[in-house]
Amino acid sequence: MSDPLKVSKTVSTESKTVSMLAKRQQPYLQNLNSEQLSAVEETEGPLLVLAGAGTGKTRVLTTRLSHIIHTNRARPSEVLAVTFTNKAARQMVERVAELLGRPADGLWLGTFHSIAARILRQNAELVGLRSDFTILDTDDQTRLLKQLLKSRNIDDKRWPARTLCTMIQRWKDQGLSSNNIERIEILDKGEFANGEAPSIFLDYQKRLEILNAADFGDLLAHCITIFKSNPDLLSSYQKRFKYILVDEYQDTNVAQYLWLRLLAATEDQNICCVGDDDQSIYGWRGAEVGNILRFEKDFSGAKVIRLERNYRSSGNILEAASGLIGKNSGRLGKTLWTKGDQGLPISITGTWDGEEEARLIGNEIEILQEEGQCLEEIAILVRASFQTRAFEERFLSIGIPYRVIGGPRFYERQEIRDAIAYIRMLVQPDDDLAFERIINVPKRGLGDASLQIIHQISRAKNISLNASAQLLVQTDDLSKKARNSLAKLLEDFNRWRSLIKSHTHWELLKIILDESGYTDMWLHDKSPQSPGRLENLKELVSAIEEFEGFSTFLEHISLVMDNEEGRTSQNNAIIVANDANIPTKMLSIMTLNSAKGLEFNNVFLPGWEEGLFPHQLALDENGSTGLEEERRLAYVGLTRARKQVQIFFSANRRIYNQWVSSIPSRFIDEIPSDNVIAKPVNQTTHLDNVNKAHLNVDEKWISPAGYLGTKLRPRKELNSNDVRAEWEEEPAKTRHSGSKFNSGDRVIHRKFGLGVVKHADGDKLEILFDKVGRKKVIDRFIESE
DNA sequence: GATTGTCTTTTTTTT
DNA sequence: AAAGACAATC
């Protein structure tokens, strides 16, 4: 991208006065349409930008931010910009730097949580914490709550800690901290542990304070408390943030809303919120669509600008999405339009089971590739993450490189969490949760009995577990064996702490992992995952080099929850640091939720079945509100695509090892029929699947609107023939010597077992497996026998 | 205190 | 199917 802002060192004075002049002189404004332009230039006073999908929201936001800085309305450090994801934040930083032609250092740009954490660290003592407080994740929280339940003799099977954890989180989302306990008591309907939940909540907060820890919700909750009880401090922040920008406003919860209102409660109220009520998909996390619907009332004199021209999707896609979302009530209402082509209709395909669905989508993707479509431009968006598995298996076997975005996270892995617990113990000896986690990992003969004693002392004297351990090694309360072992561990930690000055943090981490016996533990572990775990530990050691020190690292992992590269088919180890670049172009697989804000040429939407999408739980728990949110999710899915959307549903699916049959999603019928083309199931029959594919499809799968079996696809007829032809022809093609394997080689594949190479073409192999028959496989997954 | 085997359960979305 | 919880056993 060129550098539109390079123009001007002299411009800034004039540009404030005349917009037309500014427009001419500031080329970065030139490619905006008139609504976008006014959204950028209306810098003063409260502004709500209602930006439909694909209307250039991000662009407006980044340009606006650059504009404010470029015209010297504020310095970077006087601008607060909040996003929901770290990815969005990162992109914004990049694009602003691009527009300005230099990095905008000092910007307060980040997620609600990371900014709140920053503010809280500066003022932690006002809520009884030290500035080096730990940020707990859900796992820590649940463990803690479990302990509290236990101490009250509450059966944690009947009332699981996880449930309580979400309840507490929910309260915090609603802006209720432990100071509002009366209101919580009213809210709590006593359904958890006979109404003990609020009082456990109080205990929990007390524990957090002792632990010098804050959970996710506290980051905001504490900030709000601080702001409310320290007007001077609040006003210093208010003065500092001359301009506030908020992305994805429709997803703010009450706590975030209160936080923003406090910060924006100045005379000028220079707050600009960008959002789309139709894309509110985080209600389950406490998001209130009401916030966006109420904006004009909340901020007096607010202006509203609508962005309705869509630059992304084809006419068919846009109409389909609009038709669908039109079934929702209580919208602000927008009419998206485009000058683009009508494009391809949305195709709908029914399949027999999840495997067939994956197979057909795999075929479609191969066709797209042949047509020259880049894998990077294709995405599969699923409702629930278990759906990714079928695709992974399929793509592994046919050799399509993919990445699962937002899959299991690096830092959530057991070995990583253990390693992190060691670090936490190192820098924060009083971190009880870390202490508990690693005291007997690897095994040191310090089991439950010893731990109980340590607990007793710590409770009796109101000191941390570490402190209580320090006392216990002086006494005879522990068995001799346990005592020695504990003493050794404590000494080890002291020694490691003494090394902090003389060693780099990554060297030290390695030393700790080795000397503690943690590495050995996995070396001697015979389970198939242990090599991967060791690999991950190595990854962690090298990732930590990227950070200044342990504390920066800890902050990073507790706040930067997304691992941006995702889990890939190329590489099982996951990268924490931001600058890893993965060479190959890859297909993306992710949940609909995490797809928000992204766009692709081709989008596959599998699993459109009643019960899965809309999800049964959403319907059960929240009735029609739940349904509407699911519908918005569908809307988000559709509008991710530029060129083509292909929807799939399956008659049967295996869930928890049980076959479940379902009917097509109601959403399928809610898409206007003009924009849809249905693919009769029996035409989709694929060679792998000949025998079972068309069992009683016809009667069963015709949707109420009669989509199935009524229309044919205009584009390439379903490719089973093409695929077959290609399959049969391939052996005739010239074979390249570049291949690591030759025909006749005996090989092993980690999923399919033993087989014989039939053909080799570069890294693509065709193998006849002893157990599963012929498969196309990429050589990366193959080893010689 | 550790190990082994049996029984149970499984939340959709995530900062 | 897989992971976790729990009990029985070494």
Side-chain angles (χ1 to χ4, degrees):
Chain A
M1 215 179 244
S2 67
D3 194 348
L5 262 193
K6 268 274 161 71
V7 231
S8 49
K9 282 174 188 136
T10 52
V11 169
S12 49
T13 44
E14 297 139 352
S15 65
K16 268 186 187 167
T17 52
V18 189
S19 149
M20 280 310 291
L21 189 61
K23 198 169 177 179
R24 206 180 316 131
Q25 288 185 329
Q26 295 176 4
Y28 66 98
L29 294 177
Q30 265 172 12
N31 297 321
L32 301 176
N33 66 34
S34 60
E35 291 78 30
Q36 292 173 329
L37 187 66
S38 46
V40 168
E41 294 192 319
E42 281 290 344
T43 51
E44 313 307 304
L47 173 71
L48 175 64
V49 180
L50 282 175
T55 53
K57 179 195 71 165
T58 315
R59 179 140 192 227
V60 164
L61 217 56
T62 49
T63 313
R64 182 183 168 95
L65 185 41
S66 312
H67 186 65
I68 287 170
I69 294 169
H70 182 72
T71 55
N72 291 327
R73 285 177 165 81
R75 283 174 300 177
S77 62
E78 294 168 331
V79 180
L80 171 66
V82 248
T83 61
F84 268 80
T85 63
N86 294 291
K87 194 165 74 185
R90 226 175 298 124
Q91 276 172 3
M92 205 138 124
V93 172
E94 274 166 30
R95 295 197 47 182
V96 167
E98 232 166 61
L99 287 171
L100 286 173
R102 61 185 155 85
D105 292 326
L107 267 181
W108 286 69
L109 197 164
T111 60
F112 275 99
H113 294 276
S114 65
I115 290 176
R118 192 166 157 193
I119 295 178
L120 187 55
R121 289 218 188 272
Q122 292 171 350
N123 307 286
E125 73 288 348
L126 296 173
V127 285
L129 295 173
R130 283 181 279 126
S131 75
D132 62 347
F133 63 84
T134 348
I135 300 171
L136 300 189
D137 59 25
T138 345
D139 195 70
D140 292 325
Q141 289 175 59
T142 322
R143 283 154 162 262
L144 225 165
L145 287 168
K146 221 174 210 170
Q147 287 175 17
L148 292 173
L149 287 174
K150 217 173 191 177
S151 72
R152 289 177 176 235
N153 283 323
I154 296 172
D155 180 10
D156 81 328
K157 262 192 157 160
R158 180 129 177 243
W159 291 291
R162 288 184 58 186
T163 314
L164 183 57
C165 189
T166 35
M167 283 174 75
I168 292 179
Q169 208 62 51
R170 212 42 83 72
W171 290 330
K172 289 184 180 172
D173 285 343
Q174 291 177 50
L176 300 169
S177 54
S178 43
N179 325 332
N180 310 92
I181 197 67
E182 319 78 36
R183 284 176 58 202
I184 290 178
E185 276 162 356
I186 295 165
L187 255 162
D188 177 53
K189 295 176 204 90
E191 65 232 341
F192 189 93
N194 306 317
E196 286 195 60
S199 88
I200 305 176
F201 176 44
L202 288 181
D203 288 357
Y204 169 76
Q205 287 307 125
K206 266 184 224 140
R207 287 286 290 145
L208 288 187
E209 200 175 324
I210 293 167
L211 287 168
N212 187 33
D215 67 21
F216 248 74
D218 283 340
L219 297 177
L220 282 152
H222 284 328
C223 263
I224 294 172
T225 313
I226 290 173
F227 287 160
K228 281 190 177 159
S229 50
N230 302 75
D232 293 351
L233 190 71
L234 173 61
S235 90
S236 81
Y237 280 108
Q238 287 169 335
K239 279 191 196 114
R240 153 162 231 151
F241 300 133
K242 290 191 181 157
Y243 292 91
I244 299 178
L245 282 86
V246 187
D247 194 10
E248 310 279 16
Y249 189 61
Q250 76 282 356
D251 286 328
T252 48
N253 59 35
V254 175
Q256 289 159 336
Y257 166 81
L258 292 173
W259 188 85
L260 278 174
R261 288 251 347 221
L262 285 166
L263 285 173
T266 58
E267 248 176 67
D268 341 316
Q269 300 193 99
N270 291 330
I271 180 170
C272 166
C273 296
V274 182
D276 177 1
D277 52 317
D278 290 334
Q279 293 187 64
S280 165
I281 53 176
Y282 284 96
W284 51 274
R285 212 171 65 189
E288 289 275 337
V289 207
N291 290 346
I292 197 167
L293 304 176
R294 241 186 12 241
F295 187 88
E296 291 177 81
K297 280 191 207 127
D298 287 339
F299 297 95
S300 58
K303 296 199 185 77
V304 178
I305 295 177
R306 281 163 206 267
L307 305 182
E308 297 183 306
R309 172 159 179 201
N310 177 295
Y311 293 90
R312 180 189 296 159
S313 307
S314 72
N316 268 314
I317 293 170
L318 220 49
E319 285 164 22
S322 307
L324 179 90
I325 201 66
K327 308 274 178 192
N328 272 4
S329 56
R331 306 195 302 136
L332 287 173
K334 287 180 291 326
T335 321
L336 294 185
W337 59 279
T338 177
K339 283 186 180 169
D341 298 341
Q342 199 55 20
L344 294 164
I346 291 175
S347 84
I348 298 180
T349 311
T351 63
W352 174 246
D353 60 13
E355 272 179 50
E356 188 187 26
E357 185 182 62
R359 206 157 43 228
L360 292 184
I361 289 181
N363 291 350
E364 291 293 334
I365 289 169
E366 288 185 332
I367 292 170
L368 289 170
Q369 275 186 292
E370 275 165 29
E371 288 170 355
Q373 185 59 253
C374 173
L375 278 179
E376 203 77 3
E377 278 303 334
I378 305 174
I380 299 176
L381 310 181
V382 298
R383 173 70 246 265
S385 45
F386 79 85
Q387 292 174 265
T388 59
R389 185 196 279 177
F391 294 106
E392 291 196 63
E393 281 173 6
R394 183 64 187 161
F395 298 152
L396 225 42
S397 79
I398 60 178
I400 293 179
Y402 65 87
R403 96 184 97 192
V404 181
I405 293 175
R409 310 224 165 113
F410 184 69
Y411 79 98
E412 273 173 1
R413 288 155 190 259
Q414 187 190 339
E415 65 278 13
I416 301 305
R417 294 188 53 97
D418 288 341
I420 290 168
Y422 272 97
I423 300 176
R424 276 164 57 179
M425 269 295 282
L426 190 81
V427 294
Q428 281 232 64
D430 291 343
D431 189 331
D432 284 2
L433 294 159
F435 182 94
E436 277 192 306
R437 190 173 177 103
I438 51 108
I439 179 168
N440 202 27
V441 179
K443 299 259 185 299
R444 301 189 172 88
L446 293 163
D448 241 17
S450 309
L451 190 59
Q452 283 314 315
I453 298 175
I454 303 177
H455 260 298
Q456 267 171 31
I457 301 294
S458 94
R459 230 172 296 142
K461 309 216 160 169
N462 206 11
I463 52 178
S464 72
L465 293 179
N466 181 58
S468 128
Q470 302 279 4
L471 293 177
L472 277 167
V473 292
Q474 320 279 344
T475 70
D476 291 331
D477 294 324
L478 290 172
S479 73
K480 195 144 199 198
K481 230 173 88 189
R483 196 174 119 188
N484 288 338
S485 168
L486 183 60
K488 161 122 186 4
L489 181 66
L490 295 176
E491 271 164 34
D492 281 343
F493 268 106
N494 283 334
R495 191 178 62 252
W496 294 326
R497 278 183 205 117
S498 73
L499 296 179
I500 291 181
K501 292 240 165 68
S502 54
H503 291 70
T504 61
H505 52 288
W506 62 93
E507 281 164 356
L508 186 51
L509 175 61
K510 185 150 190 332
I511 291 173
I512 294 173
L513 291 176
D514 289 343
E515 293 187 0
S516 65
Y518 193 76
T519 321
D520 281 343
M521 178 181 100
W522 290 118
L523 279 173
H524 295 131
D525 185 282
K526 288 180 281 301
S527 73
Q529 298 106 314
S530 50
R533 296 192 194 274
L534 287 164
E535 199 58 35
N536 287 335
L537 288 171
K538 262 194 223 157
E539 193 72 53
L540 179 71
V541 173
S542 72
I544 205 170
E545 281 188 46
E546 314 281 327
F547 298 89
E548 266 171 54
F550 285 129
S551 38
T552 2
F553 172 73
L554 290 176
E555 186 82 357
H556 176 86
I557 51 155
S558 49
L559 288 171
V560 180
M561 305 295 245
D562 38 291
N563 78 67
E564 41 264 44
E565 301 305 339
R567 176 160 45 91
T568 74
S569 57
Q570 308 284 299
N571 173 3
N572 269 328
I574 295 191
I575 295 101
V576 183
N578 331 6
D579 52 1
N581 49 354
I582 290 193
T584 329
K585 299 278 187 200
M586 277 183 283
L587 159 79
S588 303
I589 307 175
M590 70 190 95
T591 61
L592 285 161
N593 287 274
S594 48
K596 194 167 61 168
L598 304 176
E599 56 182 277
F600 303 89
N601 283 340
N602 294 78
V603 168
F604 291 89
L605 302 172
W608 281 43
E609 297 129 37
E610 282 295 303
L612 176 57
F613 192 35
H615 200 284
Q616 196 57 47
L617 283 173
L619 301 179
D620 290 348
E621 279 172 22
N622 295 309
S624 60
T625 328
L627 176 64
E628 296 210 341
E629 180 151 317
E630 295 285 297
R631 194 177 278 121
R632 290 194 291 266
L633 211 43
Y635 175 79
V636 169
L638 290 168
T639 52
R640 296 310 91 194
R642 287 191 278 256
K643 294 186 181 164
Q644 193 188 20
V645 174
Q646 298 183 247
I647 295 173
F648 286 73
F649 63 91
S650 182
N652 301 291
R653 208 173 274 283
R654 199 170 49 192
I655 297 172
Y656 301 136
N657 207 27
Q658 274 197 328
W659 285 98
V660 178
S661 306
S662 26
I663 57 168
S665 168
R666 67 190 81 183
F667 297 149
I668 291 178
D669 288 333
E670 290 176 357
I671 300 176
S673 56
D674 290 348
N675 308 304
V676 164
I677 213 92
K679 249 186 334 187
V681 176
N682 43 13
Q683 296 232 345
T684 69
T685 311
H686 179 250
L687 58 161
D688 283 331
N689 198 42
V690 185
N691 20 18
K692 54 177 179 180
H694 25 211
L695 305 174
N696 60 23
V697 260
D698 280 332
E699 320 85 77
K700 244 190 170 170
W701 292 359
I702 288 180
S703 78
Y707 280 158
L708 288 192
T710 56
K711 295 173 189 171
L712 285 176
R713 239 175 130 223
R715 208 167 141 258
K716 273 193 181 177
E717 273 307 308
L718 179 74
N719 34 59
S720 66
N721 285 336
D722 299 348
V723 173
R724 181 176 297 150
E726 185 234 349
W727 177 265
E728 284 165 0
E729 246 172 54
E730 202 166 308
K733 288 182 192 162
T734 330
R735 296 287 146 205
H736 302 292
S737 52
S739 197
K740 282 191 241 163
F741 299 96
N742 295 311
S743 305
D745 287 356
R746 257 324 249 181
V747 294
I748 305 179
H749 182 276
R750 49 169 132 114
K751 277 229 165 64
F752 303 128
L754 291 167
V756 182
V757 177
K758 283 297 167 190
H759 296 287
D761 184 357
D763 61 348
K764 280 191 183 158
L765 306 174
E766 189 187 334
I767 296 175
L768 181 61
F769 288 100
D770 300 352
K771 292 208 176 108
V772 288
R774 267 171 188 265
K775 300 263 180 201
K776 279 203 239 173
V777 170
I778 210 152
D779 70 358
R780 199 174 298 109
F781 306 108
I782 293 294
E783 281 171 28
S784 300
E785 193 189 354

